[in-house]
């Protein structure tokens, strides 16, 4: 028996830990494992390579993905789905382990529902926006990096009496902003889920400065709806624009300085949040997800995804996991808000 493993969408720390765990468990059960290069592109173009003990040696702490990734959507390519099915057949792949976020797992869901492809999923994304699981791996590392950035911004903000705006990723949800903002003690946090205006943000900053603080930290999600800022750039094969191109952080900093008179600077954290070694928590979560995915393959439980519920690794229907985005709930924002101003 032979399984293909693929990683799709934006990379994130912990992908290699999943690849290692899936491969180790399947090899131990007498399966062969193949690495499918660059996500769904590897099945469209038959880019397959063997994955054995040698290939996975030493990859647990390594960021990125040893099998590459892409945002290829076979449903958007002429004959793409047929090519995927042909490759699965010609490469004798009895199972596919798809490691990805909303987009990659959305394709997996359709291939399972429409073509009975033997697929199981693993929830990956720094954005933590997948319903069906409490946490995706990669998120903890992104929060760690963003928190460290806030800590560093604090010292320079304090020295210069400045407002520092930090723009973080997260696409259409504010998980990274809220959790790193709480951890780093941000004075205002702006996220897509909460329609807080720039005026309100400035009121909080003035309130803080009136209390004697002459510096502030504002964390803003790249997807925050800033009045007057539109969508920018082309869409990818999954219909996503590059939110970073909207320049929310820079425009917010400009408006804060204009409205308050406080000297303001912006830092856009960007792909630093996705690079480098995973935190221990992400390594462990990714490893547990990988073992669970391999077990789903061994038990032939197709169309399922490994998920975290509380402290337990469970499995859920892929369909449920990709049905809707998991937004930041008001209770989480309330924790952040208690420290505004
Ligand atoms: O989904 C992960 C993510 O890092 C988002 O937070 C961000 O909007 C997007 O990917 C950036 O994509 P790219 O790597 O294609 O610029």
């Amino acid at each position: 028996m032979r399984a293909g493993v693929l990683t799709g969408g934006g990379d994130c720390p912990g992908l290699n830990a999943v690849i290692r765990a899936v491969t180790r468990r399947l090899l131990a059960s007498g399966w062969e494992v193949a690495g499918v290069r660059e996500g769904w592109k590897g099945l469209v173009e038959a880019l397959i390579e063997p994955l054995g003990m040698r290939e996975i040696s030493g990859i647990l702490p390594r960021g990125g993905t040893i099998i590459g990734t892409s945002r290829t959507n076979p449903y958007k390519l002429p004959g793409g789905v047929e090519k995927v099915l042909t490759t699965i057949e010609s490469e004798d792949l009895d199972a596919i382990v798809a490691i990805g976020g909303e987009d990659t797992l959305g394709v997996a869901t359709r291939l399972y529902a429409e073509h009975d492809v033997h697929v199981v999923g693993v929830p990956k994304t720094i954005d933590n926006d997948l319903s069906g699981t409490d946490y995706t791996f990669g998120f903890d590392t992104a929060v760690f990096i963003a928190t460290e950035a806030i800590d560093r911004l604090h010292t320079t903000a304090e020295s210069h009496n400045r407002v520092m705006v930090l723009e973080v990723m997260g696409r259409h949800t504010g998980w990274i902003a809220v959790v790193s903002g709480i951890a780093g003690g941000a004075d205002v946090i702006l996220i897509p889920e909460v329609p807080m205006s720039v005026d309100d943000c400035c009121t909080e900053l003035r309130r803080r400065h009136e209390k004697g603080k002459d510096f502030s930290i504002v964390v803003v999600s790249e997807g925050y709806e800033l009045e007057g800022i539109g969508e920018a750039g082309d869409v990818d094969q999954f219909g996503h624009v590059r939110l970073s191109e909207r320049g929310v952080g820079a425009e917010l900093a400009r408006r804060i300085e204009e409205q308050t008179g406080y000297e303001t600077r912006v830092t856009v954290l960007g792909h630093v949040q996705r690079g480098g070694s995973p935190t221990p928590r992400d390594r462990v979560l990714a490893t547990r997800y990988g073992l669970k995915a391999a077990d789903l393959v061994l038990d032939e439980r197709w169309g399922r995804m490994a998920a975290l519920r509380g402290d337990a690794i469970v499995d859920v229907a892929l369909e449920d996991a990709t049905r809707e985005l998991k937004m930041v709930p008001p209770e989480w924002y309330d924790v952040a808000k208690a420290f505004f101003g």
Side-chain angles (χ1 to χ4, degrees):
M1 303 294 273
R2 189 164 191 243
V5 181
L6 66 84
T7 52
D11 71 334
C12 83
L15 285 165
N16 288 324
V18 181
I19 294 168
R20 168 180 174 266
V22 169
T23 306
R24 286 282 290 260
R25 177 144 291 175
L26 289 179
L27 291 179
S29 304
W31 280 57
E32 277 177 39
V33 183
V36 176
R37 293 226 39 108
E38 297 175 35
W40 295 112
K41 182 178 174 196
L43 285 181
V44 173
E45 298 182 15
L47 311 172
I48 312 289
E49 60 191 31
L51 273 183
M53 290 303 281
R54 182 196 297 265
E55 286 75 20
I56 61 168
S57 169
I59 66 172
L60 174 63
R62 207 190 303 168
T65 162
I66 60 163
I67 52 178
T69 185
S70 73
R71 297 197 190 276
T72 302
N73 181 354
Y75 281 92
K76 286 288 154 69
L77 300 175
V81 173
E82 289 66 32
K83 288 178 185 161
V84 166
L85 300 176
T86 303
T87 305
I88 290 174
E89 176 121 7
S90 62
E91 291 289 333
D92 287 328
L93 297 175
D94 302 289
I96 301 293
V97 178
I99 310 167
E102 182 205 352
D103 299 333
T104 305
L105 297 179
V107 171
T109 306
R110 284 188 69 180
L111 289 172
Y112 169 68
E114 296 167 11
H115 299 281
D116 198 24
V117 169
H118 290 178
V119 63
V120 302
V122 178
K124 161 243 70 160
T125 168
I126 62 164
D127 305 334
N128 198 38
D129 59 356
L130 266 187
S131 57
T133 188
D134 289 355
Y135 287 97
T136 53
F137 72 88
F139 173 64
D140 187 61
T141 308
V143 166
F144 179 82
I145 294 165
T147 303
E148 197 198 14
I150 296 170
D151 290 348
R152 288 176 185 276
L153 289 173
H154 256 114
T155 61
T156 172
E158 198 168 5
S159 306
H160 285 270
N161 299 341
R162 283 173 174 160
V163 176
M164 291 300 210
V165 172
L166 177 68
E167 180 187 312
V168 297
M169 285 185 168
R171 201 160 258 170
H172 299 293
T173 65
W175 284 103
I176 298 176
V178 165
V179 179
S180 66
I182 293 170
D187 304 302
V188 178
I189 302 172
L190 298 166
I191 61 172
E193 291 91 332
V194 179
M196 183 178 186
S197 66
V198 178
D199 286 353
D200 291 344
C201 168
C202 291
T203 304
E204 294 291 1
L205 296 178
R206 278 193 211 95
R207 199 154 64 89
R208 177 175 155 80
H209 287 224
E210 277 156 19
K211 283 191 292 191
K213 297 281 188 182
D214 42 23
F215 70 95
S216 295
I217 304 289
V218 177
V219 179
V220 61
S221 294
E222 61 179 358
Y224 166 67
E225 293 300 336
L226 184 57
E227 298 143 49
I229 271 212
E231 297 293 329
D234 298 333
V235 294
D236 67 18
Q237 290 185 1
F238 290 92
H240 300 299
V241 291
R242 274 168 59 195
L243 289 173
S244 58
E245 301 218 326
R246 297 159 76 224
V248 162
E251 179 58 17
L252 177 66
R254 199 190 62 72
R255 292 191 198 176
I256 289 173
E257 187 165 287
E258 190 180 83
Q259 289 193 26
T260 62
Y262 305 145
E263 191 178 20
T264 306
R265 295 286 190 270
V266 61
T267 300
V268 180
L269 205 47
H271 291 80
V272 171
Q273 289 156 101
R274 292 219 316 247
S277 197
T279 58
R281 190 179 171 87
D282 270 340
R283 294 182 200 190
V284 173
L285 183 60
T287 297
R288 294 175 78 200
Y289 278 156
L291 293 181
K292 180 69 177 182
D295 288 342
L296 291 171
V297 168
L298 296 172
D299 295 341
E300 301 185 8
R301 302 196 55 221
W302 315 124
R304 309 292 295 175
M305 182 188 84
L308 184 71
R309 283 282 156 76
D311 201 29
I313 300 292
V314 299
D315 58 271
V316 297
L318 267 173
E319 203 187 348
D320 295 336
T322 51
R323 205 190 306 276
E324 59 185 20
L325 282 188
K326 185 178 68 187
M327 312 302 264
V328 175
E331 312 85 83
W332 267 101
Y333 197 70
D334 285 347
V335 175
K337 243 169 72 181
F339 300 93
F340 286 6

